Amino acid sequence: MTTVRSTLPDDARKVACEALQDTLVDLLGLSLVGKQAHWNIVGPRFRSIHLQLDEVVTATRDFADTVAERSAALGVPPDGRPETVAKDFTLPAPQEGWVRDSDAVRVMVEALQDAVARLRERIDATEKADPVTQDLLISITAELEKQRWMFDAENFPR
């Protein structure tokens, strides 16, 4: 079997690909959290939040693909298998069953906030190792921060 060779030195590739793998798990998990809430949301704000959840799902799925392809381009096979996501995903998620609109908003704000905090750590870690990966992580962070803000605005006034 042939492998893809990286343009990065091994130590830089290791840092970049660990950041990418962790981000892949977070993004795939967020897409599942968003869909779970999307399918089960109930309440007076059903329609607007239902549609907003799909925006998050689309963004996270698209970014997951880009992240996985970046890892592959660096010579490290991405791992998006269900068992990997189930084992490694630790962001907040909705409970089983119907989800009140206010609970869906709360969970999404918390999950997106936690994901952004992790991404910021990875941005710092990849600064010298791989600015290209860092740039990708920065663009993902910008979108997830925007989505978190949009969900948080649903809570106003508190």
Side-chain angles (χ1 to χ4, degrees):
M1 173 168 92
T2 58
T3 59
V4 177
R5 283 191 258 159
S6 175
T7 57
L8 294 177
D10 287 345
D11 57 337
R13 183 181 66 176
K14 183 179 186 309
V15 170
C17 288
E18 283 177 6
L20 290 166
Q21 179 59 40
D22 292 344
T23 301
L24 179 61
V25 168
D26 283 354
L27 291 169
L28 292 172
L30 280 170
S31 75
L32 295 171
V33 166
K35 266 306 179 187
Q36 182 67 21
H38 171 87
W39 294 323
N40 292 290
I41 190 168
V42 293
R45 298 182 292 168
F46 165 83
R47 179 132 175 91
S48 64
I49 297 170
H50 180 81
L51 296 173
Q52 190 175 347
L53 287 162
D54 263 348
E55 289 179 26
V56 171
V57 170
T58 298
T60 54
R61 286 179 177 171
D62 288 348
F63 279 131
D65 190 50
T66 302
V67 163
E69 289 174 352
R70 177 71 185 151
S71 185
L74 293 177
V76 176
D79 188 355
R81 296 173 300 152
E83 58 268 27
T84 301
V85 176
K87 177 175 66 76
D88 296 341
F89 184 75
T90 60
L91 296 174
Q95 298 297 313
E96 181 180 349
W98 301 117
V99 180
R100 290 282 315 161
D101 51 5
S102 57
D103 291 335
V105 167
R106 178 188 50 75
V107 165
M108 292 309 298
V109 168
E110 291 172 4
L112 289 164
Q113 186 165 314
D114 290 356
V116 164
R118 292 174 179 188
L119 278 161
R120 288 188 172 280
E121 291 172 4
R122 295 174 197 143
I123 288 167
D124 288 344
T126 56
E127 180 179 12
K128 291 206 187 312
D130 183 18
V132 176
T133 294
Q134 183 193 43
D135 185 57
L136 174 58
L137 299 177
I138 289 169
S139 64
I140 294 168
T141 301
E143 178 61 26
L144 296 187
E145 282 180 330
K146 181 183 93 173
Q147 292 296 333
R148 194 210 66 77
W149 158 65
M150 294 176 82
F151 278 105
D152 200 32
E154 289 279 350
N155 289 328
F156 186 82
R158 290 194 178 125

